[in-house]
Amino acid sequence: MRRTRDDLFSPALEGLNPAQRLAAGQKGGPVLVIAGAGSGKTRTLVHRVAYLVEQGVEPGRILLMTFTRRAAAEMLSRARALNQDCARVEGGTFHSLCHRILRAHGPRIGLDRSFTVIDRGDSEQLVKGVVDELGLKTRGDKHFPRARSIHEVIGKSRNLELSLDDAVEQWAGHLLGYLGEITQAAEGYTQAKRTQHLVDYDDLLFLAEKLLSEHDDLRQRFSNHWKHLLVDEYQDTNAVQARLLKLLASEHDNVMVVGDDAQSIYRFRGARLDNIFEFPEEFPGTKVIKLEQNYRSTQAILDLSNEVISQAWRRYDKKLYTERLGGKRPSLRRPRDDRGQARMVAGRIAKLTAAGTKPEEIAVLFRASRDSYELELELTSSRVPFVKVGGFRFLEASHIKDALSHLRVIANPNDFLSWQRLLMLQPGIGPKKAQAAIRHLVDGAEPEQYLGRLASAPGMGGNQFRELVELMSELSDPAATPLNMVEAVADYFEPVCREAYEDYPRRLRDLEELPGLVRGFDSLAEFMAEVVLEPPDTYAEERGGGRITLSTVHSAKGLEWPHVFILWATDGRLPPLPALTDPESLEEERRLMYVACTRAAGELTILAPKESYQRGRGVVSNELSRFIAELPGGLLEQPPEAVFAVPEAGPGTPASRGSKRQDRPFPVGSQVSHATFGDGRVMGYQGSKKILVHFQRHGLKILLLEFANLSKI
């Protein structure tokens, strides 16, 4: 038997800080490690594995579970560098472990040992086959859900452990009219898998749980085999994974889970925040250890991040600190609108790179893919190479391409690719008919006459085609402005989008961004040149070197950059509107803001445009994200902003020009209503007689308090 060493002389614990050392050096029993952002959780797990082996635990009796095989392989490779015996430690994902167990013992629950694991594509194809076989789709029903949509809602139901009815209502409400057919498809899908000995990713977890729950001998065997269990990213586990861990640890309590409740941001994938809070209840006697020393960010960034998460209603109290004292304070910038935001970020990026910062050291983060559209255009026009992570690029979205094709043929009638795209949006028009129509346009006509020949194109007819002809005529009006043209296309394309795409609610929200993008352009040609003619990735290959990273916050988790920008820190974007009425969603959005802030190592810039253009409402004012607005003073550097940042006199602060606090009946930032101008927000005061209000429909107004007759909302 290998000789043990006293912790004080353990090579496996060398180089760790006190909290990491305490966690990695536990003898046994249940341990919950709350690892703050950038606190070295991977390092702690690696040294924990090496320590257990060093203390005489047989390597094959240690099981390390992570969320990707790559992460497990990397950790075990680092552990082997500390102790070669760690090469025999077992590691992998929950899914890979369940696959091994089911392959060996599946027949006990009626699963053929030769079962096939199917991926997402196979699953969707199977669903499609079931729909066809059961005759669920009525001939001519263009709105029937596609196989992908049905498979997605089945997955939501299983991952979140909701009834199919609830899953459809919560995640695909626009498909409620097909609930009966979706239910039949789900039942047929389950039966088809059983008949054909197929197992999907979700089945791996639930079938393994069923096997271990129903067969005590197997549960005891596996629990006795793996004497020490380690789990990474525990805040991202779902309910069935937590139950599997309990089964695997049923014969002992040597379980260490590492995670951070403040970084739980994947509820839509089934992650269950309660798991990390319930762990001490599931495993009595749990020792909770907090890793709070951060090795990534400056203290100024951590101070802001700590305050953001301190307002969470449910959390493990912790306060990140670092030896990198001080540092540049995070800054808050309030550009006028989306375009101003893009120019501000692009300008700062230009200064950073000119000063020697590498492009790969800069990241721009946002809540949703559409939030970066204007910046993509700005960077493209400035020939700044970038890579976008998470979501899709503006130009790569098929519905955006569809809508813009109508404008492209106006800007360039010889763009036959766009002609084909817009013609194929018509009912019953495929590639062959579209080509015939294009030949009709070209034959005997100059490009400027194409629009006139559109109405007589062969194979075209019906009300929708007449609407297309009317649209193209409207777009060709010399007096039409780019904004008029984009809004006309958006109005025309809305019903087309509903017909063409099942997930039209999301796509319609994207289309609402188009009018905001075109604002400020004097000509359609200028707009199309910026938006269409230069592919965003072209310059990366030409110039070589690194690229700026544009990423959704979800995709940025676990990463870090010296310089980080956060876009659209406004209520309605971060957090998004639907979250404002759902307390759990709002809390997750707060954690998302925390994750975004803690990606920054040295410089953090938060941007919140003051106004945005909304179709049907025009220019509206934006409220600063509540996660930023509620922060105490001194954490953010904020430049003086004339009218929009007139402060309200506080206690002990002399009022300007002799005005009294009682002369200001409406606090700055409060909502008021005016008989003529409607609802607005108080932006400041001029002396003691005038109030500045930004009205949703009429913009900024300066009113005499005596005659304004404002009422507080």
Side-chain angles (χ1 to χ4, degrees):
M1 186 168 190
R2 188 170 306 157
R3 187 178 60 177
T4 63
R5 301 169 183 257
D6 186 271
D7 289 354
L8 293 175
F9 304 101
S10 169
L13 301 182
E14 290 180 1
L16 301 181
N17 67 37
Q20 292 172 336
R21 187 183 183 91
L22 178 62
Q26 289 296 305
K27 296 295 185 182
V31 182
L32 170 60
V33 180
I34 302 298
S39 62
K41 72 175 180 63
T42 299
R43 180 180 177 83
T44 302
L45 277 170
V46 166
H47 283 258
R48 172 64 174 167
V49 170
Y51 176 78
L52 289 173
V53 173
E54 180 185 87
Q55 294 301 304
V57 177
E58 175 62 32
R61 297 297 185 92
I62 302 171
L63 177 63
L64 170 64
M65 287 185 284
T66 64
F67 270 77
T68 66
R69 292 185 181 183
R70 182 177 179 180
E74 179 184 347
M75 287 187 192
L76 294 181
S77 175
R78 291 171 59 178
R80 285 197 300 273
L82 297 174
N83 188 325
Q84 282 299 318
D85 289 340
C86 292
R88 291 184 288 124
V89 172
E90 296 190 50
T93 65
F94 274 96
H95 289 86
S96 64
L97 173 67
C98 292
H99 175 262
R100 287 170 52 192
I101 294 174
L102 290 172
R103 188 67 72 185
H105 305 284
R108 292 214 194 181
I109 54 173
L111 179 65
D112 192 286
R113 189 173 276 108
S114 62
F115 68 85
T116 298
V117 179
I118 55 176
D119 61 16
R120 180 191 178 102
D122 297 327
S123 299
E124 291 174 3
Q125 192 63 34
L126 190 61
V127 170
K128 184 178 184 302
V130 168
V131 170
D132 293 341
E133 184 178 345
L134 297 179
L136 299 178
K137 181 179 180 181
T138 304
R139 187 173 183 178
D141 185 356
K142 299 177 181 178
H143 301 288
F144 191 86
R146 290 187 174 91
R148 173 175 294 184
S149 299
I150 295 175
H151 179 256
E152 283 181 353
V153 78
I154 292 173
K156 292 286 189 187
S157 172
R158 301 203 68 194
N159 274 300
L160 299 172
E161 300 193 21
L162 299 171
S163 69
L164 197 59
D165 295 29
D166 288 341
V168 172
E169 183 176 354
Q170 291 184 30
W171 299 93
H174 58 292
L175 299 181
L176 274 171
Y178 291 95
L179 181 57
E181 289 86 349
I182 292 174
T183 300
Q184 291 182 65
E187 293 171 351
Y189 174 62
T190 300
Q191 182 59 44
K193 287 187 296 179
R194 184 180 299 115
T195 301
Q196 300 176 48
H197 308 302
L198 304 177
V199 173
D200 62 24
Y201 291 145
D202 293 329
D203 291 331
L204 289 172
L205 301 178
F206 286 102
L207 290 177
E209 180 192 20
K210 175 180 174 67
L211 178 66
L212 296 181
S213 298
E214 295 180 357
H215 298 273
D216 284 342
D217 61 320
L218 288 179
R219 174 186 56 76
Q220 292 170 358
R221 183 196 306 181
F222 287 118
S223 183
N224 285 322
H225 176 72
W226 289 304
K227 289 292 188 181
H228 285 269
L229 303 172
L230 294 87
V231 182
D232 189 21
E233 302 285 10
Y234 194 66
Q235 79 281 348
D236 294 333
T237 55
N238 60 22
V240 66
Q241 287 167 329
R243 295 195 298 268
L244 279 168
L245 182 63
K246 185 74 172 176
L247 289 167
L248 291 172
S250 58
E251 298 299 308
H252 60 78
D253 58 0
N254 298 322
V255 184
M256 175 180 285
V257 299
V258 181
D260 183 7
D261 56 289
Q263 297 187 73
S264 179
I265 57 174
Y266 296 117
R267 187 164 69 108
F268 65 96
R269 293 182 186 171
R272 185 173 181 269
L273 179 62
D274 287 342
N275 286 356
I276 201 166
F277 290 108
E278 293 174 358
F279 184 85
E281 301 170 11
E282 294 294 330
F283 295 90
T286 292
K287 187 164 189 176
V288 179
I289 300 172
K290 300 176 185 177
L291 304 184
E292 299 173 287
Q293 183 172 356
N294 178 278
Y295 293 91
R296 174 188 300 154
S297 308
T298 62
Q299 190 61 51
I301 292 174
L302 296 182
D303 288 342
L304 176 100
S305 303
N306 286 333
E307 286 295 336
V308 167
I309 203 62
S310 70
Q311 300 298 318
W313 64 272
R314 191 180 188 191
R315 69 187 188 280
Y316 281 102
D317 288 326
K318 61 180 179 300
K319 192 166 186 177
L320 299 180
Y321 68 93
T322 180
E323 294 180 354
R324 298 180 62 190
L325 301 179
K328 183 179 179 181
R329 279 191 302 167
S331 61
L332 173 64
R333 296 291 183 263
R334 299 299 309 272
R336 178 177 178 179
D337 54 16
D338 193 1
R339 197 166 190 192
Q341 175 179 247
R343 288 177 173 174
M344 190 175 287
V345 172
R348 178 57 184 158
I349 287 175
K351 290 182 179 179
L352 287 171
T353 54
T357 299
K358 297 178 181 179
E360 58 267 29
E361 295 177 342
I362 303 171
V364 183
L365 308 182
F366 35 87
R367 174 63 177 82
S369 181
R370 64 191 177 101
D371 294 340
S372 69
Y373 290 167
E374 185 70 50
L375 178 60
E376 290 179 49
L377 303 181
E378 187 71 29
L379 294 178
T380 298
S381 65
S382 302
R383 294 179 174 255
V384 176
F386 66 89
V387 59
K388 187 170 182 180
V389 183
F392 47 77
R393 283 193 171 182
F394 182 60
L395 297 182
E396 293 173 347
S398 59
H399 53 297
I400 298 298
K401 289 183 177 180
D402 290 341
L404 291 180
S405 65
H406 300 81
L407 298 174
R408 293 179 69 171
V409 298
I410 296 297
N412 176 18
N414 283 315
D415 186 349
F416 298 121
L417 186 63
S418 292
W419 273 115
Q420 178 159 332
R421 190 175 191 100
L422 70 88
L423 289 173
M424 287 177 60
L425 292 171
Q426 298 298 309
I429 302 299
K432 290 184 179 180
K433 287 188 177 181
Q435 286 295 329
I438 291 172
R439 283 195 298 270
H440 172 77
L441 299 182
V442 175
D443 289 343
E446 296 298 322
E448 58 269 17
Q449 298 174 310
Y450 289 171
L451 291 177
R453 291 175 62 83
L454 186 60
S456 59
M460 300 292 176
N463 292 331
Q464 189 165 349
F465 182 70
R466 284 194 291 273
E467 291 174 2
L468 171 63
V469 173
E470 292 172 2
L471 169 69
M472 301 309 287
S473 177
E474 182 179 351
L475 296 180
S476 61
D477 184 350
T481 67
L483 180 58
N484 295 150
M485 298 169 77
V486 167
E487 289 187 323
V489 169
D491 288 336
Y492 165 82
F493 191 70
E494 180 174 341
V496 176
C497 184
R498 290 176 182 272
E499 289 285 334
Y501 297 101
E502 242 166 48
D503 56 345
Y504 63 84
R506 175 182 65 80
R507 296 178 188 267
L508 289 177
R509 287 195 296 271
D510 290 339
L511 288 169
E512 291 175 359
E513 297 296 310
L514 280 177
L517 290 178
V518 78
R519 288 178 67 218
F521 286 97
D522 296 324
S523 71
L524 179 63
E526 180 189 358
F527 172 64
M528 298 310 299
E530 293 242 6
V531 176
V532 179
L533 300 182
E534 294 186 27
D537 271 334
T538 299
Y539 305 109
E541 297 178 4
E542 291 179 358
R543 296 167 68 175
R547 293 181 287 178
I548 307 296
T549 298
L550 308 186
S551 175
T552 60
V553 182
H554 285 99
S555 297
K557 184 174 174 290
L559 304 176
E560 61 183 82
W561 295 268
H563 305 272
V564 169
F565 298 86
I566 301 175
L567 302 184
W568 282 111
T570 61
D571 271 8
R573 297 275 191 150
L574 182 55
L577 284 175
L580 300 182
T581 56
D582 180 356
E584 285 192 31
S585 294
L586 191 60
E587 284 297 283
E588 181 157 278
E589 295 300 326
R590 177 184 298 283
R591 297 192 293 270
L592 199 68
M593 177 66 83
Y594 173 81
V595 168
C597 293
T598 53
R599 298 313 94 196
E603 179 180 354
L604 174 63
T605 304
I606 301 171
L607 297 107
K610 295 173 184 173
E611 62 185 38
S612 57
Y613 184 87
Q614 293 183 12
R615 187 170 157 225
R617 298 181 63 194
V619 178
V620 298
S621 60
N622 298 321
E623 298 287 341
L624 180 63
S625 171
R626 61 193 60 200
F627 306 140
I628 302 300
E630 67 194 12
L631 295 174
L635 294 176
L636 283 162
E637 173 196 336
Q638 187 173 3
E641 295 179 277
V643 168
F644 285 90
V646 179
E648 183 180 5
T653 302
S656 61
R657 299 186 183 181
S659 63
K660 304 287 185 180
R661 187 175 178 86
Q662 56 266 29
D663 293 333
R664 299 181 172 186
F666 306 101
V668 174
S670 62
Q671 298 288 331
V672 295
S673 180
H674 187 274
T676 301
F677 301 129
D679 296 345
R681 181 187 180 195
V682 177
M683 307 308 295
Y685 290 84
Q686 284 187 354
S688 60
K689 296 183 178 181
K690 296 180 180 179
I691 184 171
L692 290 76
V693 183
H694 190 282
F695 293 99
Q696 292 179 1
R697 296 186 178 180
H698 298 275
L700 185 67
K701 300 290 182 182
I702 302 176
L703 307 173
L704 288 171
L705 273 170
E706 184 179 358
F707 304 107
N709 293 323
L710 296 172
S711 58
K712 188 172 183 179
I713 299 178

mmCIF file of all heavy atoms in Angstrom, residues 682-695:
data_model
loop_
_atom_site.group_PDB
_atom_site.id
_atom_site.type_symbol
_atom_site.label_atom_id
_atom_site.label_comp_id
_atom_site.label_asym_id
_atom_site.label_seq_id
_atom_site.Cartn_x
_atom_site.Cartn_y
_atom_site.Cartn_z
ATOM 1 N N VAL A 682 -38.594 61.836 -17.143
ATOM 2 C CA VAL A 682 -37.941 63.059 -16.684
ATOM 3 C C VAL A 682 -36.429 62.900 -16.837
ATOM 4 O O VAL A 682 -35.823 61.983 -16.287
ATOM 5 C CB VAL A 682 -38.299 63.358 -15.217
ATOM 6 C CG1 VAL A 682 -37.540 64.590 -14.734
ATOM 7 C CG2 VAL A 682 -39.804 63.560 -15.069
ATOM 8 N N MET A 683 -35.814 63.844 -17.622
ATOM 9 C CA MET A 683 -34.388 63.759 -17.891
ATOM 10 C C MET A 683 -33.583 64.756 -17.059
ATOM 11 O O MET A 683 -32.370 64.603 -16.921
ATOM 12 C CB MET A 683 -34.117 64.005 -19.381
ATOM 13 C CG MET A 683 -34.925 63.110 -20.329
ATOM 14 S SD MET A 683 -34.794 61.352 -19.958
ATOM 15 C CE MET A 683 -33.065 61.069 -20.276
ATOM 16 N N GLY A 684 -34.238 65.792 -16.539
ATOM 17 C CA GLY A 684 -33.505 66.772 -15.744
ATOM 18 C C GLY A 684 -34.292 68.068 -15.607
ATOM 19 O O GLY A 684 -35.471 68.149 -15.983
ATOM 20 N N TYR A 685 -33.625 69.089 -15.050
ATOM 21 C CA TYR A 685 -34.265 70.387 -14.826
ATOM 22 C C TYR A 685 -33.348 71.501 -15.309
ATOM 23 O O TYR A 685 -32.120 71.332 -15.357
ATOM 24 C CB TYR A 685 -34.566 70.598 -13.340
ATOM 25 C CG TYR A 685 -35.666 69.716 -12.802
ATOM 26 C CD1 TYR A 685 -35.397 68.419 -12.372
ATOM 27 C CD2 TYR A 685 -36.980 70.191 -12.713
ATOM 28 C CE1 TYR A 685 -36.399 67.608 -11.878
ATOM 29 C CE2 TYR A 685 -37.990 69.382 -12.210
ATOM 30 C CZ TYR A 685 -37.701 68.093 -11.795
ATOM 31 O OH TYR A 685 -38.700 67.299 -11.308
ATOM 32 N N GLN A 686 -33.934 72.624 -15.672
ATOM 33 C CA GLN A 686 -33.191 73.842 -15.955
ATOM 34 C C GLN A 686 -33.662 74.888 -14.953
ATOM 35 O O GLN A 686 -34.782 75.406 -15.055
ATOM 36 C CB GLN A 686 -33.436 74.323 -17.390
ATOM 37 C CG GLN A 686 -32.691 73.510 -18.440
ATOM 38 C CD GLN A 686 -32.806 74.110 -19.831
ATOM 39 O OE1 GLN A 686 -33.526 75.083 -20.054
ATOM 40 N NE2 GLN A 686 -32.097 73.522 -20.783
ATOM 41 N N GLY A 687 -32.794 75.167 -13.988
ATOM 42 C CA GLY A 687 -33.188 76.081 -12.923
ATOM 43 C C GLY A 687 -34.326 75.504 -12.111
ATOM 44 O O GLY A 687 -34.458 74.293 -11.952
ATOM 45 N N SER A 688 -35.191 76.358 -11.621
ATOM 46 C CA SER A 688 -36.298 75.903 -10.785
ATOM 47 C C SER A 688 -37.645 75.952 -11.500
ATOM 48 O O SER A 688 -38.655 75.560 -10.927
ATOM 49 C CB SER A 688 -36.378 76.775 -9.520
ATOM 50 O OG SER A 688 -36.596 78.138 -9.885
ATOM 51 N N LYS A 689 -37.640 76.433 -12.768
ATOM 52 C CA LYS A 689 -38.919 76.627 -13.452
ATOM 53 C C LYS A 689 -39.149 75.688 -14.623
ATOM 54 O O LYS A 689 -40.280 75.532 -15.072
ATOM 55 C CB LYS A 689 -39.033 78.076 -13.941
ATOM 56 C CG LYS A 689 -39.068 79.099 -12.810
ATOM 57 C CD LYS A 689 -39.264 80.513 -13.353
ATOM 58 C CE LYS A 689 -39.345 81.531 -12.213
ATOM 59 N NZ LYS A 689 -39.556 82.906 -12.724
ATOM 60 N N LYS A 690 -38.099 75.073 -15.142
ATOM 61 C CA LYS A 690 -38.248 74.255 -16.342
ATOM 62 C C LYS A 690 -37.862 72.803 -16.076
ATOM 63 O O LYS A 690 -36.925 72.522 -15.331
ATOM 64 C CB LYS A 690 -37.388 74.814 -17.483
ATOM 65 C CG LYS A 690 -37.811 76.205 -17.940
ATOM 66 C CD LYS A 690 -36.918 76.707 -19.070
ATOM 67 C CE LYS A 690 -37.348 78.100 -19.530
ATOM 68 N NZ LYS A 690 -36.471 78.609 -20.617
ATOM 69 N N ILE A 691 -38.605 71.908 -16.711
ATOM 70 C CA ILE A 691 -38.339 70.476 -16.593
ATOM 71 C C ILE A 691 -38.089 69.908 -17.990
ATOM 72 O O ILE A 691 -38.719 70.323 -18.971
ATOM 73 C CB ILE A 691 -39.525 69.741 -15.916
ATOM 74 C CG1 ILE A 691 -39.180 68.256 -15.706
ATOM 75 C CG2 ILE A 691 -40.809 69.885 -16.723
ATOM 76 C CD1 ILE A 691 -40.221 67.519 -14.856
ATOM 77 N N LEU A 692 -37.147 68.980 -18.087
ATOM 78 C CA LEU A 692 -36.809 68.341 -19.352
ATOM 79 C C LEU A 692 -37.393 66.935 -19.360
ATOM 80 O O LEU A 692 -37.095 66.130 -18.469
ATOM 81 C CB LEU A 692 -35.289 68.259 -19.539
ATOM 82 C CG LEU A 692 -34.542 69.583 -19.791
ATOM 83 C CD1 LEU A 692 -34.397 70.380 -18.501
ATOM 84 C CD2 LEU A 692 -33.164 69.301 -20.366
ATOM 85 N N VAL A 693 -38.235 66.655 -20.329
ATOM 86 C CA VAL A 693 -38.897 65.348 -20.428
ATOM 87 C C VAL A 693 -38.692 64.787 -21.830
ATOM 88 O O VAL A 693 -38.889 65.497 -22.830
ATOM 89 C CB VAL A 693 -40.412 65.447 -20.128
ATOM 90 C CG1 VAL A 693 -41.050 64.054 -20.179
ATOM 91 C CG2 VAL A 693 -40.645 66.095 -18.772
ATOM 92 N N HIS A 694 -38.294 63.525 -21.902
ATOM 93 C CA HIS A 694 -38.175 62.852 -23.195
ATOM 94 C C HIS A 694 -39.426 62.004 -23.386
ATOM 95 O O HIS A 694 -39.640 61.016 -22.695
ATOM 96 C CB HIS A 694 -36.920 61.972 -23.246
ATOM 97 C CG HIS A 694 -36.620 61.451 -24.624
ATOM 98 N ND1 HIS A 694 -37.294 60.395 -25.175
ATOM 99 C CD2 HIS A 694 -35.726 61.856 -25.568
ATOM 100 C CE1 HIS A 694 -36.833 60.164 -26.388
ATOM 101 N NE2 HIS A 694 -35.876 61.032 -26.654
ATOM 102 N N PHE A 695 -40.289 62.419 -24.337
ATOM 103 C CA PHE A 695 -41.539 61.719 -24.595
ATOM 104 C C PHE A 695 -41.328 60.643 -25.655
ATOM 105 O O PHE A 695 -40.555 60.825 -26.605
ATOM 106 C CB PHE A 695 -42.623 62.699 -25.039
ATOM 107 C CG PHE A 695 -43.036 63.663 -23.964
ATOM 108 C CD1 PHE A 695 -42.512 64.945 -23.934
ATOM 109 C CD2 PHE A 695 -43.920 63.270 -22.965
ATOM 110 C CE1 PHE A 695 -42.873 65.834 -22.940
ATOM 111 C CE2 PHE A 695 -44.289 64.152 -21.957
ATOM 112 C CZ PHE A 695 -43.764 65.437 -21.935
#
